[in-house]
């Protein structure tokens, strides 16, 4: 859980982890030098030894913070919950069961709902059954932070690209790269609640590069689709510029 000035929401995010029916989890909260009450709220939960707080001396940005958070984790299966989002109580249990029942599966996502600041559902989709996502997509049926995956994928594909620091799309790009080699198991049930937060990274367009983030993803998608590789993975800075 990456945290930065999320005092109005992080309590609900932590509570949704505490209410999981699957209890053998570890919650890493990595605070990127919040200036509000975020840390004070988190500290109330540290008596639970499954919850660990890491605080940065300086603000490193969302993607770098996320990579640090994952580096602190010790589990064989990794996933994320943004500090302003929520999970249903059965989320971890249902995702873990996929890996237990399908040893060949490397990564698993789920359906999700879009919620407002008061937890009201704004949008949801329904599916008839679980299925495998075998083709790269510009619009996947899952929300990316809700992906659960085997730790070895970080060894194979590396961390989330800090090229995307300050914009968005790092997790979409990473998921596409994984999807070039492995199918993504999709759970039909909505397990993740993505909050439309007016102050979140994807909604505050204060940097020009954010305005073309989707165009960048589209171009990387085209390259991966046609060649199974891309300029960013190859370190082609000229091409990316």
């Amino acid at each position: 859980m990456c945290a930065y000035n999320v005092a109005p929401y992080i309590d609900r995010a932590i509570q949704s982890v505490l209410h999981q029916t699957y209890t053998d989890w570890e919650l890493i909260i990595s605070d990127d030098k919040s200036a509000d009450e975020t840390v004070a709220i988190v500290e109330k939960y540290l008596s639970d030894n499954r919850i660990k707080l890491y605080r940065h001396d300086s603000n490193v940005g969302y993607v770098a913070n996320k990579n640090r958070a994952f580096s602190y984790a010790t589990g064989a299966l990794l996933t994320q919950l943004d500090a302003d989002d929520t999970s249903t109580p059965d989320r971890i249990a249902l995702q873990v069961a996929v890996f237990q029942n399908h040893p060949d599966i490397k990564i698993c996502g789920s359906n999700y709902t879009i919620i407002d600041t008061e937890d009201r559902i704004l949008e949801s989709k329904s599916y008839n059954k679980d299925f495998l996502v075998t083709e790269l997509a510009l619009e996947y049926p899952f929300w990316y932070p809700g992906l659960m995956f085997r730790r070895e994928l970080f060894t194979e594909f590396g961390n989330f690209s800090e090229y995307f620091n300050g914009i968005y799309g790092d997790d979409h790009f990473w998921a596409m790269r994984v999807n070039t080699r492995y199918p993504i198991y999709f759970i039909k049930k909505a397990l993740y609640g993505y909050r439309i937060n007016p102050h979140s990274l994807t909604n505050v367009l204060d940097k020009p590069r954010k305005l073309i983030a989707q165009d960048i993803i589209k171009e990387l998608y085209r390259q991966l689709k046609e060649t199974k590789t891309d300029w960013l993975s190859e370190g082609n800075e000229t091409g990316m510029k």
Side-chain angles (χ1 to χ4, degrees):
M1 184 179 292
C2 299
Y4 178 66
N5 291 345
V6 283
Y9 308 107
I10 194 168
D11 188 74
R12 281 176 277 179
I14 295 172
Q15 285 289 335
S16 78
V17 177
L18 287 170
H19 291 150
Q20 292 296 306
T21 58
Y22 185 94
T23 59
D24 187 17
W25 47 258
E26 169 188 60
L27 175 57
I28 300 293
I29 302 175
S30 186
D31 183 76
D32 204 18
K33 202 171 177 60
S34 290
D36 64 0
E37 297 301 312
T38 295
V39 169
I41 293 170
V42 173
E43 287 176 337
K44 296 186 303 180
Y45 292 99
L46 297 183
S47 58
D48 188 324
N49 59 17
R50 298 172 298 178
I51 301 176
K52 300 175 178 64
L53 171 64
Y54 294 84
R55 301 177 65 182
H56 298 170
D57 294 330
S58 61
N59 183 275
V60 299
Y62 176 72
V63 182
N65 187 20
K66 177 160 53 174
N67 287 331
R68 287 190 185 186
F70 276 119
S71 75
Y72 303 141
T74 62
L77 295 173
L78 305 177
T79 190
Q80 182 184 348
L81 176 65
D82 278 341
D84 54 356
D85 293 341
T86 63
S87 295
T88 60
D90 55 354
R91 177 191 162 196
I92 296 178
L94 290 177
Q95 288 188 289
V96 168
V98 168
F99 295 97
Q100 292 173 335
N101 297 330
H102 306 277
D104 56 323
I105 291 295
K106 303 282 188 181
I107 184 168
C108 169
S110 78
N111 193 7
Y112 67 100
T113 57
I114 298 176
I115 60 177
D116 67 9
T117 56
E118 302 302 321
D119 296 336
R120 293 180 293 245
I121 295 177
L122 301 176
E123 182 180 336
S124 62
K125 297 180 181 179
S126 61
Y127 299 86
N128 294 325
K129 60 182 179 180
D130 296 357
F131 56 86
L132 291 180
V133 179
T134 58
E135 298 289 334
L136 300 187
L138 280 173
E139 292 187 18
Y140 283 103
F142 47 78
W143 192 241
Y144 305 98
L147 289 168
M148 183 179 285
F149 52 91
R150 298 188 190 275
R151 173 182 286 277
E152 56 261 33
L153 289 187
F154 271 147
T155 302
E156 188 170 354
F157 295 94
N159 292 339
F160 297 96
S161 173
E162 293 185 22
Y163 170 87
F164 295 94
N165 239 354
I167 53 174
Y168 64 90
D170 60 288
D171 41 15
H172 188 165
F173 173 60
W174 191 84
M176 286 195 300
R177 292 179 62 227
V178 172
N179 205 190
T180 61
R181 298 187 195 174
Y182 302 111
I184 301 174
Y185 191 101
F186 176 75
I187 298 173
K188 67 179 181 180
K189 185 174 181 180
L191 305 179
Y192 194 97
Y194 163 52
R195 190 183 306 280
I196 296 296
N197 173 3
H199 302 294
S200 72
L201 177 69
T202 52
N203 288 308
V204 183
L205 299 177
D206 57 353
K207 296 181 181 179
R209 208 159 61 97
K210 288 181 183 176
L211 298 174
I212 63 165
Q214 192 58 36
D215 296 318
I216 293 170
I217 290 293
K218 286 180 180 178
E219 175 57 24
L220 294 170
Y221 164 83
R222 183 194 65 80
Q223 294 174 21
L224 285 167
K225 190 82 170 175
E226 294 178 3
T227 68
K228 302 296 185 185
T229 188
D230 63 273
W231 288 339
L232 190 53
S233 299
E234 293 172 348
N236 185 341
E237 295 183 9
T238 302
M240 290 306 297
K241 287 180 181 178

